[in-house]
Amino acid sequence: RTNVTDFFLTIRDLMSWLCIMLEGGEATRRQRWWREKGRMTRAQFTEMMDAHDYYCSESRANIVRWCVAFAVTFKMYIRMAADGYINEAITPATKWALEFDRARLRGLLSPSEFHVVDNTLGFQDKSNDAESLWMNYTKNVAIDNYIDEIARDPERDTTDGDGMYNMDPTPRARPPVILVYYLHEELFRNLNDARLLDKPYGFKERF
């Protein structure tokens, strides 16, 4: 339990560090040193934002959602690793909990990102929910009713009469690894080369 708690704390620290270390544009620098120049209102900050601030705003949003998704996929892996990938079956209660986590992932990831991550989970759903159900999920849908609807869909019943849901144990990249790759790409996309200085708004290569 201590190790898992430390893991989640490390994700939080990583997310905070990545967001803070993005240099940003004029508005971000002005806001960072507000003690010298005074605080800005939200309207003043928005008016001062330049292209570099918008780049960093997008990157920070990606970093936050991918770090949260990383934590969710890690929790999912712990929830189903032993039963799902060793015994090749999970209980209905575990299946419902995993569907709830899938809904969280769908709210954090774009359709293409979710498709990549979801395909590595190993669910053996008979209906093509990756395109028909999850791709149509919106945050306006009541999550409990939505998951209940999925769980009760007879076409998605992959049990063998024993009440257990089958899982595909085929070796594949695990979801947390994919989220780490996304974070890695975002970091290098915003890396300010020490020689070229081509991304002054990004992370400094050397300090």
Side-chain angles (χ1 to χ4, degrees), residues 128-159:
N128 196 0
D129 65 295
E131 283 74 24
S132 63
L133 291 175
W134 288 112
M135 290 305 172
N136 296 325
Y137 168 76
T138 64
K139 296 179 181 179
N140 296 327
V141 177
I143 185 65
D144 289 342
N145 295 335
Y146 189 78
I147 300 240
D148 284 341
E149 179 182 350
I150 294 176
R152 294 168 182 168
D153 184 355
E155 294 183 0
R156 302 178 76 256
D157 184 3
T158 60
T159 63

Side-chain angles (χ1 to χ4, degrees), residues 77-91 94 98 121-124 164-170 174:
Y77 186 77
I78 293 176
R79 192 191 300 276
M80 65 180 174
D83 291 337
Y85 298 137
I86 296 178
N87 299 328
E88 303 182 22
I90 56 177
T91 65
T94 301
L98 290 173
L121 291 173
F123 290 114
Q124 293 185 358
M164 302 292 286
Y165 285 87
N166 299 330
M167 296 287 292
D168 181 7
T170 304
R174 296 309 178 199

Side-chain angles (χ1 to χ4, degrees), residues 18-206:
L18 291 175
C19 289
I20 291 172
M21 296 307 294
L22 273 173
E23 182 68 20
E26 181 62 27
T28 303
R29 288 191 291 270
R30 172 72 166 72
Q31 185 74 358
R32 183 174 293 141
W33 300 103
W34 66 270
R35 292 183 182 275
E36 297 179 3
K37 301 181 180 180
R39 289 187 180 275
M40 290 189 298
T41 65
R42 183 62 186 174
Q44 291 173 328
F45 182 86
T46 303
E47 183 180 356
M48 188 178 291
M49 288 180 68
D50 55 21
H52 291 173
D53 287 307
Y54 284 107
Y55 292 152
C56 288
S57 179
E58 178 185 355
S59 294
R60 290 189 185 100
N62 288 336
I63 289 169
V64 170
R65 66 188 182 88
W66 285 336
C67 282
V68 176
F70 181 28
V72 173
T73 55
F74 181 76
K75 184 184 72 171
M76 295 176 71
Y77 186 77
I78 293 176
R79 192 191 300 276
M80 65 180 174
D83 291 337
Y85 298 137
I86 296 178
N87 299 328
E88 303 182 22
I90 56 177
T91 65
T94 301
K95 175 70 170 175
W96 194 98
L98 290 173
E99 297 286 15
F100 190 91
D101 290 332
R102 288 171 88 183
R104 295 184 66 189
L105 286 179
R106 182 62 189 88
L108 291 165
L109 304 176
S110 68
S112 60
E113 293 166 353
F114 176 80
H115 183 72
V116 172
V117 173
D118 193 62
N119 281 345
T120 66
L121 291 173
F123 290 114
Q124 293 185 358
D125 295 322
K126 292 182 179 179
S127 63
N128 196 0
D129 65 295
E131 283 74 24
S132 63
L133 291 175
W134 288 112
M135 290 305 172
N136 296 325
Y137 168 76
T138 64
K139 296 179 181 179
N140 296 327
V141 177
I143 185 65
D144 289 342
N145 295 335
Y146 189 78
I147 300 240
D148 284 341
E149 179 182 350
I150 294 176
R152 294 168 182 168
D153 184 355
E155 294 183 0
R156 302 178 76 256
D157 184 3
T158 60
T159 63
D160 294 325
D162 56 359
M164 302 292 286
Y165 285 87
N166 299 330
M167 296 287 292
D168 181 7
T170 304
R172 51 170 65 87
R174 296 309 178 199
V177 178
I178 298 175
L179 272 302
V180 169
Y181 172 79
Y182 284 148
L183 288 169
H184 173 273
E185 291 298 297
E186 190 67 28
L187 172 62
F188 276 82
R189 187 170 73 92
N190 293 280
L191 188 64
N192 188 22
D193 187 271
R195 182 174 61 87
L196 299 176
L197 297 177
D198 54 341
K199 297 182 177 67
Y201 57 86
F203 303 102
K204 292 182 179 180
E205 184 185 12
R206 297 182 180 89

